[in-house]
Amino acid sequence: MSQQIKITLPDGSVKEYEKGTSGLQIAASISEGLARNVLAAKVNGQVWDATRTIDADSTLQLLTWNDLEGKNTFWHSSAHLMAEALEALYPGTKFGIGPPIETGFYYDVDFGDHKLEGDELEKIEQKMIELAKQKSEFIRTNVGKKEAVAFFQEKGDEYKLDLLEGLEDGSITFYQQGNFTDLCRGPHIPNTGFIKAVKLTNIAGAYWRGDEKRKMLTRIYGVTFPKAQELKDYLTLLEEAKKRDHRKIGRELELFTFSEKVGMGLPLWLPKGTLLRERLISFMKKAQDKSGYQQVTTPHIGSKALYETSGHYEKYGKDSFQPITTPHEGEAFLLKPMNCPHHCEIYKHKPRSYKDLPIRYAEFGTVYRYEQSGELHGLTRVRGFTQDDAHIFCRPDQVKEEFIKVIDLVLYVFKALGFEDYTAQISLRDPEKKEKYIGGDEAWQKAESAIIEAAAEKGLVTVTELGEAAFYGPKLDFMVKDALGRKWQLGTIQVDYQLPDRFQLEYIGSDNQKHRPVMIHRAPFGSLERFVAVLIEHCAGDFPLWLSPEQINILPISEKYIEYAAELKAVLDEAGIAGHIDNRDEKIGRKIRDSEVKKVPFMLIVGEKEQEEQKVSVRKHGQGDLGSFSIEEFIGYFQGIISESLSKQ
């Protein structure tokens, strides 16, 4: 008599199946249509192959293309399909790692003496489609370490042998599809036939294991879809993304630049970009002032001992710039990688009472972290960046209230800048890997509970991710979708019981005894550099009027009207409206076109009629002619737009 097992489905219903039934078979028992779309199975919280058998009572979620984990499984399997195609086209190819990423996948490959060229990608795509049509099953096999080592020794793949060194016997699995076998823990889709459309998007270099002293491999990026139309839609999205690329728009609008002489990953903000930054900083400072924050300023360097005390050096020392030594023996400093240790020392400079708390310190502090050159990307990944950092020191009974106030501040920022689609990610520690974090269970439980309760009280749409906490505490990360539907992590709030302990921070309680404060870290922008990059791509450079670094262009029809234009500019400057006079010897049509390209919100055209009537002809970017205004009427109209925009916040 066969043994029955109980399967609990997401809706809470419980069904009985024979022991050894697979997720795919369970899907088929529910609906053939569902079975055709199942990519993987989530069994007791772990993602498995849909074809893998279930041998005990379990919870089960059937994953499709509509689930993130389903997509990840699809793209991981696509990396294996690409590897099979590469091995067929380029015998002797060796393989590093091939994970799924946010959109698609990559595989790090060693082609030996062959240098892969971009025009070869289409040939690889065609081979992938040819192999996908064979509907080869992904077959999982448990392999002993000795057998696995022998396999890759015979194959001559030193990268897989390197990976095997860190694996324990009994935990090693191979996956095979068609003629390709890989070292992999999985999971994978049932067969290659699910993959209907392929696009290889980029070729880059990547050091093996991220170590610049090891060999540079060829990293091939790609994306696949279960339907051809979805690939077409994605490529259309890519084209739009290219138009919105913050590096391209940043050049066109003259916001920022980079210089090899200054150094990679160190942005230089041009006058217009600096004005944009200053407007953002001013906006945030006003909001912080209303919320009781005090501005502080800390140095760009700190003693190595400071970061050893905080724990940052132990955790992130290898990602920092090398210590700066002085003529004094044993004295060493670091370029500041974090602001929080400095703020702890500011808190500590005098005795504190429970009546003083909460204390909220804010700083637009520039920090420096070493990023490998291959990881640098415009303003989104740099080596020097400015955080809108703040640290709140409060009593344990104030944590939730302060956390909710910070959530309100983050949402205020998002609303003001047009980010309406976001999810709050509750990032907790991995209970299976507590050694990665500092502090005891009780403090972690308190911190995690405060975040979960605060998010619930604010009614946020949340997801929970284990293992994504900072090393000193859990956090709430805001995942924002931009105008193209891409997700960005903007804004973070963290609860920390550890740094106050490490720095021995104290306050005298109402019981006249010494107590430890709790520390809340928060940065609604995150980094100004990354925030500006995301904002540029979200609004395609068409900034809100209050934020735009160049709000008007005054366009004289000829040089005869430059003096009148200068008079107008002086009045507009007095009204706080930023812009300049285009006094080039160009036709007015050219000046208008150039202003449109520069995305200047308003063009004020002045000629003989305007000078006589003491008026301006107004054109609005993207809309065209608005008619004739007196300068007072235009200022009122302009300020009305800003007032309406800011009042909605």
Side-chain angles (χ1 to χ4, degrees):
M1 182 177 175
S2 61
Q3 185 178 340
Q4 297 292 102
I5 57 173
K6 292 180 179 180
I7 300 296
T8 304
L9 299 172
D11 64 0
S13 63
V14 180
K15 297 188 177 184
E16 289 195 354
Y17 294 91
E18 285 188 18
K19 179 182 177 181
T21 301
S22 70
L24 194 58
Q25 289 170 324
I26 292 171
S29 75
I30 297 170
S31 155
E32 285 297 330
L34 174 61
R36 284 195 296 272
N37 290 295
V38 168
L39 300 174
K42 196 170 187 178
V43 180
N44 297 327
Q46 290 190 321
V47 184
W48 284 15
D49 305 318
T51 54
R52 187 172 168 185
T53 59
I54 304 171
D55 297 321
D57 294 349
S58 303
T59 60
L60 173 69
Q61 180 186 353
L62 298 166
L63 302 172
T64 69
W65 180 253
N66 295 324
D67 300 294
L68 178 60
E69 289 153 316
K71 279 190 175 76
N72 283 342
T73 304
F74 189 92
W75 284 329
H76 186 193
S77 302
S78 300
H80 281 234
L81 178 66
M82 182 176 74
E84 184 184 4
L86 292 172
E87 201 165 69
L89 293 169
Y90 308 96
T93 297
K94 300 172 186 179
F95 299 95
I97 58 171
I101 53 177
E102 188 172 353
T103 303
F105 58 91
Y106 69 78
Y107 218 126
D108 289 341
V109 180
D110 184 350
F111 286 104
D113 294 332
H114 180 73
K115 180 174 172 54
L116 189 73
E117 302 293 343
D119 57 8
E120 295 176 75
L121 293 181
E122 189 174 342
K123 177 176 69 172
I124 300 168
E125 291 169 358
Q126 291 169 354
K127 188 65 177 177
M128 288 176 69
I129 291 295
E130 176 192 323
L131 293 170
K133 289 178 179 177
Q134 295 176 11
K135 299 184 179 179
S136 301
E137 292 183 12
F138 285 87
I139 301 168
R140 181 178 186 269
T141 309
N142 291 307
V143 182
K145 188 164 185 176
K146 187 176 180 181
E147 182 186 348
V149 169
F151 178 86
F152 285 108
Q153 280 178 338
E154 183 178 348
K155 193 175 181 184
D157 196 327
E158 64 265 32
Y159 305 105
K160 298 299 180 182
L161 291 170
D162 190 3
L163 292 170
L164 277 166
E165 283 184 17
L167 300 179
E168 293 182 9
D169 203 358
S171 67
I172 298 167
T173 52
F174 280 4
Y175 274 85
Q176 180 184 353
Q177 94 277 356
N179 294 318
F180 181 70
T181 299
D182 205 352
L183 170 69
C184 182
R185 69 167 61 97
H188 288 285
I189 59 178
N191 65 69
T192 59
F194 285 78
I195 302 167
K196 305 291 188 187
V198 176
K199 182 65 179 177
L200 301 184
T201 54
N202 193 25
I203 302 172
Y207 292 107
W208 174 235
R209 299 277 204 176
D211 185 346
E212 294 181 7
K213 295 176 182 176
R214 305 181 83 166
K215 185 166 183 178
M216 173 78 80
L217 304 183
T218 301
R219 177 170 290 181
I220 307 173
Y221 289 91
V223 66
T224 52
F225 293 92
K227 294 179 182 177
Q229 184 59 47
E230 288 174 321
L231 174 59
K232 290 180 182 177
D233 293 343
Y234 175 74
L235 293 177
T236 300
L237 185 71
L238 274 188
E239 283 304 308
E240 181 61 27
K242 285 180 184 176
K243 295 176 191 173
R244 290 171 176 256
D245 189 319
H246 74 278
R247 296 167 298 177
K248 172 179 175 289
I249 293 176
R251 283 193 302 272
E252 293 170 351
L253 302 190
E254 299 179 36
L255 300 177
F256 59 88
T257 189
F258 290 89
S259 161
E260 288 186 10
K261 281 190 171 64
V262 171
M264 297 175 67
L266 300 172
L268 299 170
W269 290 90
L270 303 175
K272 291 177 187 175
T274 298
L275 187 53
L276 176 68
R277 276 174 60 108
E278 291 303 319
R279 289 184 190 277
L280 281 170
I281 289 171
S282 176
F283 163 76
M284 182 59 74
K285 281 184 175 178
K286 285 179 183 176
Q288 289 176 166
D289 288 346
K290 289 180 182 177
S291 299
Y293 287 83
Q294 302 173 73
Q295 297 293 326
V296 296
T297 304
T298 61
H300 288 254
I301 65 173
S303 167
K304 181 182 172 184
L306 178 71
Y307 308 112
E308 288 175 334
T309 299
S310 68
H312 288 107
Y313 189 76
E314 180 186 353
K315 291 285 181 180
Y316 304 116
K318 66 180 184 297
D319 297 322
S320 301
F321 287 94
Q322 291 300 303
I324 305 163
T325 57
T326 73
H328 190 283
E329 187 177 347
E331 189 174 50
F333 292 83
L334 291 179
L335 286 171
K336 179 171 63 174
M338 302 277 182
N339 296 303
C340 36
H342 297 252
H343 290 190
C344 287
E345 289 297 305
I346 291 177
Y347 174 92
K348 200 176 176 181
H349 87 279
K350 69 177 183 179
R352 307 290 182 176
S353 161
Y354 73 99
K355 294 179 181 178
D356 299 327
L357 304 184
I359 293 171
R360 309 177 187 97
Y361 290 139
E363 177 181 17
F364 285 87
T366 303
V367 298
Y368 304 89
R369 298 177 195 169
Y370 179 72
E371 299 280 358
Q372 293 186 29
S373 57
E375 299 294 325
L376 299 173
H377 181 83
L379 293 180
T380 60
R381 200 75 178 265
V382 290
R383 289 174 171 170
F385 55 94
T386 303
Q387 294 178 309
D388 62 323
D389 225 347
H391 298 94
I392 301 165
F393 300 90
C394 60
R395 304 188 308 264
D397 63 291
Q398 296 172 320
V399 170
K400 189 166 77 171
E401 180 185 356
E402 287 300 309
F403 202 91
I404 287 172
K405 287 179 180 177
V406 177
I407 291 175
D408 288 338
L409 180 62
V410 172
L411 300 187
Y412 169 76
V413 170
F414 288 173
K415 188 175 181 182
L417 293 165
F419 292 109
E420 298 172 354
D421 190 351
Y422 53 83
T423 302
Q425 177 179 300
I426 300 172
S427 300
L428 308 178
R429 78 174 167 168
D430 185 343
E432 303 299 320
K433 298 178 180 176
K434 292 182 181 178
E435 69 280 359
K436 289 172 54 180
Y437 311 92
I438 59 176
D441 289 345
E442 184 181 354
W444 274 89
Q445 287 163 5
K446 285 181 183 176
E448 290 178 345
S449 295
I451 290 178
I452 293 166
E453 289 172 16
E457 284 191 25
K458 293 303 296 180
L460 298 177
V461 177
T462 62
V463 295
T464 300
E465 293 289 345
L466 297 179
E468 292 298 313
F471 76 94
Y472 50 76
K475 55 183 179 167
L476 191 69
D477 294 320
F478 287 84
M479 315 304 290
V480 176
K481 278 190 179 179
D482 68 10
L484 297 183
R486 299 170 301 180
K487 277 208 294 194
W488 302 87
Q489 193 261 306
L490 291 179
T492 185
I493 320 170
Q494 303 165 7
V495 177
D496 181 6
Y497 282 78
Q498 314 308 329
L499 286 190
D501 200 45
R502 283 178 165 253
F503 281 92
Q504 299 184 331
L505 305 184
E506 297 174 343
Y507 67 90
I508 302 300
S510 58
D511 58 1
N512 212 32
Q513 300 298 309
K514 292 180 179 179
H515 298 270
R516 288 268 186 263
V518 183
M519 193 172 174
I520 297 175
H521 307 240
R522 52 110 284 207
F525 290 153
S527 90
L528 270 175
E529 284 69 18
R530 191 166 183 275
F531 192 87
V532 167
V534 175
L535 181 61
I536 288 172
E537 298 196 8
H538 178 58
C539 66
D542 288 317
F543 300 110
L545 183 58
W546 65 269
L547 184 59
S548 181
E550 190 173 26
Q551 296 165 324
I552 56 103
N553 264 356
I554 303 174
L555 311 180
I557 288 175
S558 74
E559 63 180 13
K560 290 191 293 183
Y561 308 107
I562 289 176
E563 187 176 337
Y564 176 53
E567 292 172 9
L568 290 175
K569 185 174 184 306
V571 176
L572 293 170
D573 286 345
E574 194 70 27
I577 299 174
H580 83 287
I581 301 169
D582 186 346
N583 55 15
R584 295 175 299 161
D585 186 17
E586 295 281 0
K587 292 183 178 178
I588 192 66
R590 173 64 184 272
K591 291 182 180 183
I592 291 171
R593 284 194 301 274
D594 288 349
S595 282
E596 286 286 351
V597 169
K598 295 287 187 185
K599 303 180 187 289
V600 180
F602 288 102
M603 289 151 271
L604 308 183
I605 300 167
V606 294
E608 183 177 2
K609 183 181 177 185
E610 287 78 18
Q611 182 169 290
E612 286 177 359
E613 298 178 356
Q614 291 290 288
K615 289 189 173 183
V616 292
S617 290
V618 179
R619 291 183 66 89
K620 192 172 184 181
H621 170 59
Q623 291 186 24
D625 185 23
L626 298 184
S628 182
F629 288 67
S630 71
I631 191 62
E632 292 79 11
E633 288 171 339
F634 175 73
I635 290 171
Y637 172 70
F638 181 98
Q639 291 176 340
I641 293 173
I642 290 181
S643 295
E644 184 180 356
S645 171
L646 295 178
S647 68
K648 290 178 181 177
Q649 301 165 26

